[in-house]
Amino acid sequence: MQPDLEQIIMNRRSIRAYTQARVDRATIERICKAARQAPSGANLQPGAFHILTGEALSALTDKLLQAADRGEPEDAEYSYFPTPMPPGLKDRQRKAGYALYDSLGITRRDIAGRRAQFARNYAFFDAPVGIVVTIDRGMGKGCFMDLGMALMSFLLAAEASGLGATGIGALANYSRLVHAHLNLPETELVVCGIALGHPDRAAPVNQFRTEREPLESFTSFRGFDVDDA
Ligand SMILES: Cc1cc2nc3c(=O)[nH]c(=O)nc-3n(C[C@H](O)[C@H](O)[C@H](O)COP(=O)(O)O)c2cc1C
């Protein structure tokens, strides 16, 4: 029996270690179609998924890893996060980072260890499938919201297919490199990557869970009877 949607939503987590079992193209196509089923303002369906595997993926990851290793300056074309990061959000960011590094036994002072783990982003965490997500540069903020919904549908469809995935915003740190390597039209902006594959369920990095803020902190209810809940 298929698990219900809420269970799929609650089970999904970012996967950062994979087995090398291949993912067949038909499954990826099904997941991409589910992503495209997301609603979008005026049904513009913004965004594109460039799906890489095998040598097509390793040629890109080799370049990215070499660039990071050489300390090449990053060439991000958009800012993912607010700058500067407000203190309350900085706290959430730190918590997520500590949960990740703690799961790997990387201490807070282990700068080399943290750098090495960060470089895993550029290897798409050794997933058998890496996806470069782009959007037309001319799109407005609302269209980024639409693409976010498509990404969520992608992640949930992956989970429902027994696969694991994670978004990789870090890919946009070298967006020009990725853009040039894939020979993308100038109209496309690299937004993020996605790693996709069969989760290595025993890997320590896949064991931790991130926390969420309590309901009261991000909702307000008005006009309800007190005992509606
Ligand atoms: C668009 C997007 C980009 C992300 N970029 C990265 C990234 O570059 N590196 C990383 O390790 N995790 C990345 N993540 C995963 C988030 O850190 C993760 O979703 C968050 O901490 C919540 O954890 P969970 O996905 O396990 O629930 C990204 C997630 C999304 C949706």
Side-chain angles (χ1 to χ4, degrees):
M1 197 173 76
Q2 286 289 315
D4 70 12
L5 179 61
E6 190 170 3
Q7 212 179 326
I8 292 167
I9 291 171
M10 299 314 278
N11 285 349
R12 186 216 57 82
R13 67 176 78 177
S14 291
I15 295 298
R16 298 185 180 86
Y18 297 87
T19 73
Q20 282 312 299
R22 61 183 289 278
V23 183
D24 62 89
R25 183 170 165 163
T27 302
I28 304 170
E29 287 183 358
R30 209 165 32 75
I31 293 170
C32 288
K33 281 185 188 165
R36 208 51 162 198
Q37 203 58 37
S40 58
N43 198 24
L44 294 191
Q45 307 167 53
F49 297 89
H50 303 282
I51 298 138
L52 313 174
T53 193
E55 279 179 19
L57 178 59
S58 59
L60 175 63
T61 59
D62 286 354
K63 266 197 189 161
L64 284 163
L65 288 166
Q66 282 162 18
D69 201 40
R70 280 197 302 268
E72 250 177 53
E74 294 175 356
D75 58 19
E77 292 192 272
Y78 78 101
S79 174
Y80 194 114
F81 298 118
T83 40
M85 187 79 91
L89 297 187
K90 186 88 205 153
D91 194 45
R92 283 187 204 169
Q93 184 184 36
R94 276 208 194 98
K95 267 194 192 157
Y98 289 157
L100 168 63
Y101 292 123
D102 287 352
S103 75
L104 291 159
I106 299 171
T107 64
R108 279 154 219 199
R109 291 201 182 140
D110 182 0
I111 305 299
R114 292 169 76 127
R115 193 171 297 138
Q117 175 56 29
F118 192 80
R120 308 283 304 131
N121 282 292
Y122 300 131
F124 286 80
F125 301 101
D126 289 337
V129 180
I131 295 146
V132 174
V133 182
T134 63
I135 195 168
D136 190 289
R137 283 175 196 282
M139 293 290 166
K141 283 185 183 171
C143 296
F144 276 79
M145 185 162 68
D146 296 337
L147 179 57
M149 283 192 276
L151 283 170
M152 187 66 207
S153 295
F154 186 104
L155 298 177
L156 293 180
E159 176 72 32
S161 307
L163 298 173
T166 186
I168 308 178
L171 191 72
N173 291 345
Y174 285 119
S175 61
R176 290 308 311 180
L177 183 158
V178 176
H179 196 281
H181 178 78
L182 295 182
N183 203 15
L184 297 173
E186 199 43 45
T187 47
E188 281 188 56
L189 171 75
V190 173
V191 177
C192 66
I194 306 173
L196 177 73
H198 294 271
D200 177 350
R201 300 206 187 268
V205 74
N206 287 337
Q207 305 308 319
F208 74 93
R209 304 255 23 195
T210 47
E211 293 171 7
R212 294 297 185 271
E213 296 295 299
L215 187 74
E216 321 73 83
S217 73
F218 66 95
T219 54
S220 82
F221 292 85
R222 299 157 205 224
F224 288 85
D225 291 338
V226 182
D227 50 3
D228 250 8

